[in-house]
Every structure is written in C-alpha cells, then in structure tokens.
Amino acid sequence: MRVVRHEVVLPSGARDTFEVDESVQFAVAVLVLDGDELLLAEQYRYPIDRWILDLPGGAGEVGETPEEAARRECEEELGFVPEGLIPLHAFFPNPGRAAWPVHLFLARGTSPGVAAGGDEAEQVRLVSLRVEELDGRIADGVIVDPSLLIARAMAGLLGHLPPLAVHRP
C-alpha cells in the first residue's frame, strides 16, 4: 500500500492534511453471467475473518486498460476469460481515503482460460448462483462486498438483469 500525505487548501480556504491511498491506479470487478447462472468468487477475507462471495477482480497494472485488467483478473482467479464485457459503473470505494476507482463490468459468457494459482494468501473458489439466489442473499444481509452489491444493482437498473428483487414464499 502506498499512502501519500497531502497538504491541501480546501474550498473554504482552510488548510488541512490528508493521507490518501494511492497504491493502485484503478481496480476492476466483473459480474459474470453464464447462461442462467452468475459466476462469483468465494474468498477468505482476513480483515473480517470470514469467507464471502464477491466478484473476480483486482488492481489494474501499469499500461492496462480496465477491460484488459478485468479479463486478466478473471482468468487468474477463476480460470476463465470473460466475454462481451459491458461497462456497468465506476465508483470510489472509499473517497475520503483512496484516490482510485473500481470499474465494474458485466460479462455475458466465458471462454476457457488458466487460473494462476500458487498465491496461498489468495484463496478463491468458483460459486455459481441463479440471480434469484443472489438477490435472496443480498436481502438476508449475507452479501457484504460493495462491488458485488453495486454491480448487481446497476445490472438491474440498466436492464441487463431483472431488477433487484426478493420473492419470498
């Protein structure tokens, strides 16, 4: 992580100091729709000490476009290359402390690739869910990853998936 200390003059004219995470230029995450199933990553996240469902993704590398990074990250993490990337939204996960955006994409289908493996700190498993199952987990508070929540909501809002809804018996 690269945290940079900035001495700034605010719009009010007041002076202040901010420490800003400038460790990456951008991050990416991909909501993958393969037929009727969403292909998600299940990963252990040490800071919250639990396994969570999230999206394949990660930091962009120097010289990469967000689309290139999205393809590379999906292949490294889950062993497939996403096809037909559609931009969904870009957001700043912590605009008070980080200067980098997360670019969200929807992929309609996959082609075979090769998972990178070998990084013991990154434990990733492929999980396949129907949209309705994901929506139920969102409603139950099981989904905590902001990229997944925002990607699902935006895919519904833009008409790529049904609107986010929960149907209880």
Side-chain angles (χ1 to χ4, degrees):
M1 180 181 288
R2 191 178 107 218
V3 176
V4 178
R5 187 179 188 94
H6 294 267
E7 301 289 333
V8 301
V9 177
L10 299 171
S12 67
R15 294 184 176 277
D16 207 338
T17 302
F18 287 90
E19 291 181 345
V20 179
D21 175 357
E22 296 179 359
S23 57
V24 297
Q25 56 183 340
F26 65 87
V28 296
V30 184
L31 182 63
V32 180
L33 181 62
D34 194 26
D36 293 335
E37 301 281 317
L38 295 170
L39 305 181
L40 304 173
E42 183 178 41
Q43 299 192 60
Y44 176 74
R45 298 301 189 179
Y46 173 77
I48 60 174
D49 190 25
R50 65 190 256 204
W51 287 85
I52 68 167
L53 287 178
D54 63 12
L55 298 174
E61 295 178 357
V62 175
E64 272 186 320
T65 66
E67 292 83 359
E68 291 166 338
R71 285 184 183 90
R72 176 184 51 76
E73 285 287 342
C74 280
E75 184 172 17
E76 286 176 5
E77 290 186 4
L78 296 177
F80 61 77
V81 179
E83 295 180 348
L85 287 178
I86 300 165
L88 289 177
H89 193 62
F91 74 99
F92 290 84
N94 187 357
R97 295 281 179 233
W100 44 271
V102 175
H103 296 270
L104 300 174
F105 297 93
L106 173 71
R108 292 190 177 276
T110 66
S111 59
V114 179
D119 184 354
E120 287 298 317
E122 190 168 43
Q123 303 285 315
V124 184
R125 300 186 288 228
L126 175 64
V127 173
S128 181
L129 292 177
R130 291 185 333 273
V131 173
E132 301 79 31
E133 291 176 289
L134 176 61
D135 290 355
R137 290 183 186 194
I138 290 171
D140 291 342
V142 174
I143 305 300
V144 298
D145 179 68
S147 294
L148 177 51
L149 292 166
I150 294 168
R152 171 60 187 101
M154 291 304 298
L157 184 67
L158 297 173
H160 299 295
L161 293 177
L164 181 59
V166 177
H167 303 284
R168 300 271 188 222

